[in-house]
């Protein structure tokens, strides 16, 4: 079966019957008895949520078994109908559950039809390496270079399962945005005497643990158990500990503090230096702007909603 329909073609009431990459799948409880499955589907034009209700005759146990059989990272034939719910367009699957018995084999030449990535990965990598190379402190520069090499797939992996920059290349794109914003703060507030090298190193490495939180599965990426069970900050700190000997103790401790505190007041450790605050504020700026842009993208001019899917905040398209 060839792909004949794309996510950008889908709107309220559109019959859907084509191939999509299954990015994620999870069980959800119905308002009354029973369960349904919530999936995220993607193709080269974007992502769309999908609710798999199944047949009226199917039991909860059968829906649970279907969830276990579906493989994120594989391509499936999806047959259902699009519907706008709470301001977001989603696909609902009932009888089409019968098409989900097995994934569809895709020739290597067609894989690009199913991978959503608005990022120029090569250009992003080039810009990150240029910023890393601008670090004057040799130990910090070496630490950044080695950490980026050790974090396999850093430039290709997503930054999240569901929220900001949740697509191939998103981790590197978010890292680059964060670093550029943080450097702009350094340049704008020269009287504060921020350590430019530490700001660049901390921004480039603040989410390094996310590269260890995702793995290739099929033709996509899936979160490893560590994503939820440990979290990307402890994973990042553990990785960076390998390179402790390249810097003096005070510089390395400051770098670890920036990484550990980049979630600001919501993290286990709040920022206590100007450099740590710069990275935190740059990080939240990149994330918030990406989430808002994604939540606005599906709205018509003059339309808004009280809770965007990505950011969970009210949004409005002027």
């Amino acid at each position: 079966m060839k792909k004949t329909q794309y996510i950008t073609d889908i709107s309220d009431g559109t019959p859907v019957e084509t191939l999509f990459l299954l990015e994620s799948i999870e069980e959800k409880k119905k308002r009354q008895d029973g369960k349904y499955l919530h999936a995220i589907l993607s193709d080269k034009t974007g992502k769309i949520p999908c609710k798999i209700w199944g047949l009226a005759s199917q039991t909860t146990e059968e829906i649970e078994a279907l969830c276990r059989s579906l493989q994120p990272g594989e391509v499936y034939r999806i047959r259902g109908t699009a519907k706008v719910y709470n301001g977001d367009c989603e696909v609902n699957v009932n009888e089409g559950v019968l098409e989900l018995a097995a994934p569809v084999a895709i020739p290597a030449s067609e894989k690009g039809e199913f991978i959503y990535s608005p990022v120029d990965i090569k250009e992003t990598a080039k810009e990150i390496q240029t910023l890393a190379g601008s670090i004057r402190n040799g130990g910090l520069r070496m630490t950044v270079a080695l950490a980026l090499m050790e974090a396999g797939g850093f430039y290709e992996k997503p930054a999240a399962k569901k929220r900001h920059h949740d697509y191939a290349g998103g981790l590197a794109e978010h890292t680059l945005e964060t670093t550029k914003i943080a450097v702009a703060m350094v340049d704008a507030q020269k009287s504060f005497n921020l350590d430019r090298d530490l700001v660049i190193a901390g921004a480039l490495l603040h989410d390094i643990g996310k590269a260890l939180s995702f793995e290739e599965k099929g033709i996509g990426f899936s979160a490893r158990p560590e994503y939820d069970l440990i979290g990307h900050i402890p994973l990042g700190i553990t990785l960076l500990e390998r390179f402790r000997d390249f810097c003096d103790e005070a510089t390395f401790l400051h770098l670890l503090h920036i990484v550990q505190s980049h979630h600001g007041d919501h993290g286990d450790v709040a920022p206590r230096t100007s450099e740590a605050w710069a990275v935190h504020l740059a990080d939240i700026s990149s994330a918030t702007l990406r989430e808002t842009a994604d939540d606005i993208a599906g709205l018509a001019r003059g339309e808004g909603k009280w809770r965007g899917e990505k950011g969970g905040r009210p949004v409005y398209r002027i």
Side-chain angles (χ1 to χ4, degrees):
M1 179 181 180
K2 288 281 187 180
K3 184 165 179 61
T4 57
Q5 212 175 11
Y6 292 89
I7 288 170
T8 49
D9 301 326
I10 297 173
S11 58
D12 192 24
T14 301
V16 176
E17 185 170 3
T18 193
L19 303 178
F20 292 102
L21 176 67
L22 177 68
E23 291 221 347
S24 65
I25 187 76
E26 59 182 332
E27 296 176 10
K28 295 276 191 177
K29 288 185 178 181
K30 294 180 179 178
R31 289 184 179 177
Q32 298 178 344
D33 292 338
K35 291 184 177 181
Y36 69 96
L37 304 182
H38 184 274
I40 299 295
L41 309 176
S42 71
D43 62 27
K44 68 180 183 181
T45 69
K47 301 189 179 194
I48 193 167
C50 175
K51 291 177 180 176
I52 302 170
W53 303 98
L55 302 170
S57 60
Q58 286 184 299
T59 65
T60 298
E61 290 73 20
E62 288 173 322
I63 294 296
E64 291 172 340
L66 175 62
C67 185
R68 292 192 297 270
S69 72
L70 292 171
Q71 304 170 49
E74 298 292 340
V75 172
Y76 287 86
R77 180 181 177 186
I78 303 297
R79 180 163 59 90
T81 305
K83 179 181 179 181
V84 172
Y85 178 73
N86 283 343
D88 294 310
C89 190
E90 61 187 27
V91 178
N92 285 271
V93 173
N94 295 97
E95 290 80 3
V97 70
L98 301 175
E99 320 294 348
L100 300 174
V104 178
I106 299 298
S109 60
E110 296 180 14
K111 289 182 179 180
E113 293 289 290
F114 301 95
I115 299 173
Y116 172 64
S117 179
V119 184
D120 185 333
I121 292 175
K122 290 184 178 179
E123 182 59 30
T124 300
K126 181 180 177 181
E127 289 193 59
I128 285 176
Q129 289 159 16
T130 298
L131 281 165
S134 74
I135 298 172
R136 293 163 296 183
N137 181 308
L140 270 179
R141 187 170 62 249
M142 181 64 72
T143 297
V144 171
L146 291 174
L148 291 175
M149 285 192 291
E150 285 290 312
F154 175 85
Y155 296 104
E156 292 80 25
K157 290 181 178 178
K161 288 196 295 186
K162 295 179 181 178
R163 298 190 69 177
H164 70 89
H165 301 83
D166 60 339
Y167 41 75
L171 174 57
E173 182 185 49
H174 168 60
T175 297
L176 179 59
E177 290 172 1
T178 299
T179 308
K180 285 182 171 181
I181 295 168
V183 168
M185 292 183 192
V186 174
D187 292 340
Q189 298 175 306
K190 295 185 183 299
S191 64
F192 293 177
N193 295 319
L194 274 73
D195 187 319
R196 186 187 188 92
D197 282 352
L198 269 166
V199 169
I200 293 174
L204 289 175
L205 299 177
H206 81 283
D207 268 350
I208 194 73
K210 287 187 175 180
L212 309 178
S213 302
F214 289 90
E215 61 185 351
E216 283 191 75
K217 190 165 285 187
I219 63 173
F221 290 101
S222 290
R224 296 170 56 86
E226 290 89 338
Y227 183 97
D228 293 311
L229 297 180
I230 298 175
H232 68 277
I233 292 180
L235 291 172
I237 294 293
T238 301
L239 173 65
L240 293 178
E241 283 287 353
R242 302 181 195 175
F243 314 113
R244 176 179 285 274
D245 294 340
F246 289 99
C247 299
D248 64 84
E249 186 64 23
T251 298
F252 190 74
L253 179 62
H254 197 169
L255 176 65
L256 292 187
H257 173 65
I258 292 171
V259 174
Q260 180 69 51
S261 67
H262 77 264
H263 283 170
D265 292 329
H266 299 291
D268 292 333
V269 175
R272 296 193 180 193
T273 68
S274 298
E275 291 79 8
W277 274 110
V279 172
H280 161 61
L281 293 170
D283 171 51
I284 200 169
S285 295
S286 167
T288 302
L289 291 173
R290 178 75 268 169
E291 290 169 351
T292 303
D294 288 344
D295 286 335
I296 288 174
L299 299 177
R301 293 191 181 279
E303 184 181 6
K305 54 185 174 183
W306 284 108
R307 184 177 177 83
E309 181 184 347
K310 293 291 183 66
R313 309 174 190 88
V315 292
Y316 189 91
R317 185 168 187 182
I318 302 296

